[in-house]
């Protein structure tokens, strides 16, 4: 008990306690603390900085949750005598019917319950029915209080560690209070009867920062003439079109931070066309909840919350995680890289990762940490990457690259037709520009395509799989995330879709089998600028196939830019003529 009291005094006794507990969270000193939940409440602004208001604020938040729960968790049978039976009956479809609301709530609770049942299945604590009921009630009340967002998969994995930390602190408090009489402050803050109430308050404040990462609402895009004049023609969909906040965030981390701190790793990920959405959305949304064991995860959350309620350190933990496995990534092919990213390898000292993140963000005020890299047999991760590719296969109608090339060529010639015959030397519509010719089916068939099963890659620009295949009687085709539609009779156009939803991305953090850690399975990873010597002949043939198709895409991009340039020139001349004509008329 005396050790219990001494820790409380060390953390919260002085008036300058806030800076001290923030430093304790960042330095990993809360790993064995009995007051981690109290520190988290201060970090998340559940408790004010003024300690004299802690008790009143806590009672206020608990009373608010009681009202929320009473409002949203209703039993229509209890109100049977107070309602009009014409409206309030089990068959009523009226919006004001309590029975109608009850059935809608039942469907929402059922969806939440499915995720709650899968929460930390390896821990007995989360298998208890009482704990599952608390998780379900908290998530249901939050969804009803935030009708615009409702419940999204992954929220249960943000709530679960909060519930666990509160439970651990309550258990420690009960053991300590058996031998002595604790202070009134401790009695109120660590009262086990309000476990659910406190968890809801902490989760709600955490979601104020994390809410945009779960929202599917697209950011606004400028409309009208201004958008047409300032946008870049034929740019990537996520650069100009609507995009959700989480996709924008992970793209910025890889395109800016990773590029700044390790250009070689950035170029390797781009060459393999591994989009950051595939692994990064889960990393950020769950605050790395599936990448680390729970005890290590709590240390990471200590630092994230203590640093800032805006969770700014998340971006640099993201980069530090990539740098820890950077040698293995650079020495690996597509499938192995995907396995490493979706099944992140274990880290011996989680605090070293946090020190690396702090140094990356502010190297002047943080010491350079000891640099160490992951080195292990990659066969396990190669298998996991192959499993993930097989799970995420999408059945998209293949798109003939020749047909797309021909369509774009015809479209481009029609765009520049009004300027043909002038002094610019543009070819007429029916002529074939020598620089934009497309190989025929016979030419494409003559390429050295290996007789392999379907291979998958993820395009960075569209974040969708590219399906490479070879048929017996058809030319080689490439599946792009495109929708073919007809705008006018005889004219075909295609639209590239934006990034797909990754709400249901699967994959956990299962550890490698014991055989993967044997001494004779270890190997030294070379930091060479090229890893062509490590790939076999089959991979070389696949690389040649991808390079050929990438060349076709580059040809299409060049033609698109050429058409855009001609269009801009034509529009500029037309506008100039209109201005001159208008001035002459006025004159």
């Amino acid at each position: 008990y005396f050790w219990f009291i001494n820790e409380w005094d060390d953390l919260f006794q002085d008036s300058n306690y806030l800076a001290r507990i923030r430093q304790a969270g960042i330095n990993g000193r809360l790993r064995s603390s009995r007051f981690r939940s109290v520190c988290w409440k201060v970090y998340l602004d559940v408790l004010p900085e003024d300690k004299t208001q802690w008790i009143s604020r806590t009672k206020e938040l608990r009373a608010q949750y009681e009202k929320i729960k009473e409002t949203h968790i209703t039993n229509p049978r209890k109100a049977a005598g107070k309602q009009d039976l014409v409206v309030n009956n089990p068959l009523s479809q009226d919006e004001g019917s309590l029975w109608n609301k009850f059935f809608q709530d039942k469907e929402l609770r059922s969806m939440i319950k499915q995720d709650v049942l899968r929460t930390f299945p390896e821990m007995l604590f989360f298998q208890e029915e009482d704990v599952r009921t608390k998780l379900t009630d908290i998530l249901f009340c939050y969804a009803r209080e935030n009708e615009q967002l409702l419940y999204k998969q992954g929220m249960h994995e943000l709530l679960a560690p909060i519930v666990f930390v509160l439970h651990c602190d309550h258990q420690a408090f009960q053991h300590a209070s058996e031998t002595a009489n604790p202070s009134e402050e401790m009695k109120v803050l660590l009262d086990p009867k309000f476990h659910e109430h406190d968890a809801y308050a902490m989760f709600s404040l955490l979601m104020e920062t994390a809410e945009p990462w779960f929202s599917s609402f697209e950011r606004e895009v400028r409309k009208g003439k201004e958008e047409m004049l300032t946008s870049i023609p034929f740019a990537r969909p996520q650069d100009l079109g609507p995009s959700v906040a989480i996709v924008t965030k992970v793209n910025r981390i890889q395109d800016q931070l990773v590029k700044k701190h390790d250009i070689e790793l950035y170029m390797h990920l781009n060459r393999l066309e591994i989009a950051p959405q595939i692994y990064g959305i889960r990393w950020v949304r769950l605050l790395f909840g599936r990448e680390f064991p729970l005890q290590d995860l709590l240390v990471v959350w200590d630092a994230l919350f203590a640093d800032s309620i805006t969770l700014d350190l998340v971006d640099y933990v993201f980069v530090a995680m990539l740098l820890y496995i950077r040698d293995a990534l650079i020495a690996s092919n597509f499938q192995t890289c995907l396995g490493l990213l979706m099944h992140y390898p274990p880290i011996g000292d989680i605090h070293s990762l946090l020190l690396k993140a702090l140094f990356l963000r502010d190297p002047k005020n943080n010491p350079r940490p000891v640099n160490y890299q992951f080195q292990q047999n990659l066969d396990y991760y190669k298998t996991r990457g192959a499993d993930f590719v097989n799970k995420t296969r999408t059945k998209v109608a293949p798109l003939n690259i020749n047909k797309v090339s021909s369509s774009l060529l015809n479209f481009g010639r029609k765009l520049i037709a009004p300027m043909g015959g002038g002094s610019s030397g543009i070819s007429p519509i029916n002529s074939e520009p020598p620089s934009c010719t497309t190989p025929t089916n016979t030419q494409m068939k003559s390429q050295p395509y290996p007789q392999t099963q379907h291979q998958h890659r993820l395009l960075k620009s569209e974040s969708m799989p590219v399906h490479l295949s070879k048929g017996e009687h058809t030319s080689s085709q490439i599946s792009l995330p495109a929708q073919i539609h007809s705008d006018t009779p005889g004219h075909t156009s295609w639209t590239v879709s934006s990034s797909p939803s990754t709400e249901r991305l699967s994959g956990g953090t299962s550890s490698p089998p014991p055989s993967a850690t044997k001494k004779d399975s270890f190997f030294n990873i070379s930091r060479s600028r090229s890893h062509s010597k490590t790939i076999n002949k089959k991979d070389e043939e696949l690389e040649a196939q991808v390079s050929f198709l990438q060349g076709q895409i580059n040809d299409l991009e060049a033609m698109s830019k050429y058409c855009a340039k001609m269009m801009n020139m034509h529009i500029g001349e037309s506008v100039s003529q209109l201005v001159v004509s208008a001035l002459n008329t006025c004159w």
Side-chain angles (χ1 to χ4, degrees):
Y1 172 76
F2 292 105
W3 184 88
F4 189 81
I5 296 297
N6 289 337
E7 184 186 356
W8 175 274
D9 292 340
D10 290 341
L11 289 173
F12 308 111
Q13 185 64 32
D14 299 337
S15 57
N16 192 29
Y17 77 95
L18 185 57
R20 186 166 58 255
I21 65 171
R22 287 193 184 280
Q23 200 62 37
I26 293 175
N27 292 338
R29 295 202 303 268
L30 297 181
R31 181 184 285 272
S32 59
S33 174
R34 270 63 174 174
F35 303 106
R36 176 180 258 156
S37 64
V38 180
C39 293
W40 282 16
K41 289 178 181 178
V42 177
Y43 298 154
L44 297 173
D45 286 347
V46 175
L47 295 178
E49 185 176 350
D50 186 0
K51 291 186 296 184
T52 60
Q53 300 179 17
W54 280 8
I55 295 178
S56 60
R57 177 60 176 166
T58 299
K59 292 181 177 179
E60 178 186 348
L61 291 174
R62 290 170 178 173
Q64 288 179 5
Y65 180 69
E66 286 288 350
K67 292 181 180 179
I68 291 172
K69 194 171 182 180
E70 183 180 353
T71 300
H72 296 298
I73 302 180
T74 58
N75 187 348
R77 292 186 178 88
K78 293 182 179 180
K82 304 177 183 179
Q83 298 286 329
D84 183 3
L85 293 180
V86 176
V87 175
N88 187 38
N89 65 81
L91 300 179
S92 174
Q93 298 296 320
D94 190 278
E95 293 183 359
S97 171
L98 292 179
W99 280 101
N100 188 22
K101 181 178 181 295
F102 172 77
F103 290 126
Q104 293 178 2
D105 292 348
K106 186 177 181 181
E107 183 179 355
L108 176 60
R109 289 181 69 89
S110 176
M111 180 176 65
I112 295 173
K113 188 73 172 180
Q114 289 180 359
D115 288 340
V116 168
L117 293 176
R118 297 193 294 264
T119 303
F120 291 103
E122 71 280 3
M123 296 184 62
L124 293 178
F125 172 74
F126 291 102
Q127 311 310 310
E128 298 176 5
E129 192 58 34
D130 177 58
V131 175
R132 288 176 170 176
T133 302
K134 289 179 180 179
L135 291 171
T136 304
D137 288 347
I138 292 172
L139 293 169
F140 174 79
C141 289
Y142 178 82
R144 283 295 177 230
E145 282 291 295
N146 298 269
E147 291 287 347
Q148 192 175 17
L149 183 63
L150 285 177
Y151 169 78
K152 295 292 188 300
Q153 188 188 35
M155 291 181 179
H156 66 292
E157 298 192 49
L158 289 183
L159 174 61
I162 294 175
V163 172
F164 179 74
V165 167
L166 284 167
H167 169 74
C168 293
D169 287 1
H170 291 162
Q171 292 294 312
F173 171 72
Q174 285 181 318
H175 288 308
S177 59
E178 290 176 357
T179 58
N181 187 25
S183 65
E184 184 66 23
E185 223 169 25
M186 293 185 191
K187 288 181 180 179
V188 174
L189 295 180
L190 299 173
D191 192 343
K193 293 186 298 184
F194 298 98
H195 185 189
E196 184 178 332
H197 303 68
D198 295 348
Y200 177 84
M202 296 170 69
F203 176 73
S204 298
L205 269 295
L206 174 60
M207 284 302 299
E208 285 190 6
T209 298
E211 178 182 353
W213 304 341
F214 288 89
S215 175
S216 58
F217 294 101
E218 297 173 338
R219 59 181 174 85
E220 295 183 0
V221 180
R222 291 175 297 175
K223 303 294 183 182
K225 185 176 180 181
E226 182 184 2
E227 171 66 14
M228 294 175 62
L229 293 177
T230 57
S231 64
I232 303 174
F234 301 100
R236 298 186 308 174
Q238 67 264 38
D239 292 337
L240 289 181
S243 177
V244 295
I246 185 66
V247 175
T248 303
K249 183 178 183 67
V250 296
N251 273 316
R252 185 188 66 83
I253 293 174
Q254 182 162 307
D255 291 343
Q256 296 182 19
L257 296 183
V258 177
K259 184 178 181 180
K260 173 184 176 182
H261 294 287
D262 196 322
I263 185 65
E264 183 181 0
L265 175 60
Y266 168 76
M267 294 177 66
H268 180 71
L269 293 176
N270 272 5
R271 190 186 68 80
L272 294 181
E273 296 170 341
I274 296 180
Q277 297 94 304
I278 300 304
Y279 64 95
I281 287 180
R282 191 181 75 183
W283 286 14
V284 173
R285 270 185 180 166
L286 306 185
L287 296 180
F288 316 105
R290 292 191 190 174
E291 320 319 317
F292 307 114
L294 182 58
Q295 293 301 327
D296 285 347
L297 177 65
L298 298 181
V299 176
V300 174
W301 283 23
D302 288 341
L304 294 180
F305 297 164
D307 179 73
S308 172
I309 194 176
T310 58
L311 305 179
D312 296 333
L313 194 59
V314 166
D315 296 11
Y316 294 92
V317 173
F318 189 112
V319 178
M321 289 172 64
L322 289 178
L323 294 182
Y324 173 68
I325 58 174
R326 59 96 58 195
D327 284 354
L329 290 173
I330 290 177
S332 302
N333 59 15
F334 174 79
Q335 287 189 355
T336 307
C337 285
L338 203 59
L340 282 164
L341 295 170
M342 297 305 298
H343 296 261
Y344 195 79
I347 294 181
D349 181 11
I350 192 65
H351 186 57
S352 63
L353 186 75
L354 299 174
L355 293 177
K356 181 71 171 180
L358 293 168
F359 174 77
L360 292 173
R361 185 178 64 175
D362 188 4
K364 293 183 179 179
N365 297 320
N366 293 279
R368 179 182 294 274
V370 177
N371 191 27
Y372 67 101
Q373 298 290 331
F374 164 75
Q375 292 184 353
Q376 197 171 6
N377 182 10
L378 296 180
D379 291 341
Y380 172 82
Y381 300 100
K382 183 178 181 180
T383 304
R384 299 286 77 77
D387 293 343
F388 178 76
V389 169
N390 292 332
K391 288 179 181 179
T392 55
R393 280 182 177 175
T394 56
K395 297 181 179 179
V396 183
L399 181 65
N400 194 327
I401 191 71
N402 294 322
K403 185 175 180 180
V404 174
S405 302
S406 177
S407 176
L408 278 179
L409 287 173
N410 292 334
F411 178 66
R413 296 190 198 111
K414 291 177 181 179
L415 285 177
I416 63 177
M419 297 187 64
S423 58
S424 59
I426 302 300
S427 303
I429 294 178
N430 295 328
S431 65
E432 185 74 20
S435 61
C436 299
T437 56
T438 306
T440 62
N441 291 348
T442 304
Q443 292 172 329
M444 293 185 70
K445 286 182 178 180
S446 65
Q447 296 297 323
Y449 289 176
Q451 297 288 342
T452 60
Q453 294 179 349
H454 297 316
Q455 302 291 334
H456 289 261
R457 284 181 179 264
L458 298 177
L459 282 176
K460 182 177 184 299
S461 57
E462 287 84 19
S463 307
M464 292 287 281
V466 173
H467 186 191
L468 302 179
S469 62
K470 183 179 186 301
E472 295 180 0
H473 304 289
T474 59
S475 61
S476 182
Q477 296 175 332
I478 180 170
S479 294
L480 294 175
Q483 297 175 348
I484 308 299
H485 59 86
S486 177
D487 296 331
T488 58
H491 293 81
T492 303
S493 62
W494 59 290
T495 305
V496 179
S497 63
S498 59
S499 301
S501 172
T502 54
E503 290 287 333
R504 290 287 182 184
L505 282 182
S506 60
T509 56
S510 58
S511 300
S515 61
T517 61
K518 292 181 179 180
K519 185 175 181 181
D520 57 359
S521 298
F522 276 64
F523 68 98
N524 294 324
I525 300 173
S526 172
R527 300 190 62 170
S528 172
R529 291 284 175 179
S530 172
H531 67 282
S532 60
K533 295 182 181 180
T534 64
I535 60 179
N536 54 30
K537 183 178 179 181
K538 182 179 177 180
D539 292 331
E540 291 176 355
E541 292 176 348
L542 181 59
E543 292 290 343
Q545 180 183 352
V546 173
S547 298
F548 172 76
L549 293 176
Q550 186 64 48
Q552 301 303 309
I553 295 174
N554 292 340
D555 289 342
L556 297 178
E557 183 181 2
M559 183 61 189
S560 300
K561 291 180 179 179
Y562 176 74
C563 294
K565 180 180 179 180
M566 295 298 102
M567 187 195 307
N568 290 338
M569 292 175 58
H570 178 64
I571 292 175
E573 290 186 359
S574 300
V575 171
S576 300
Q577 291 176 1
L578 288 175
V579 171
V580 172
S581 177
L583 290 175
N584 291 336
T585 303
C586 295
W587 182 261

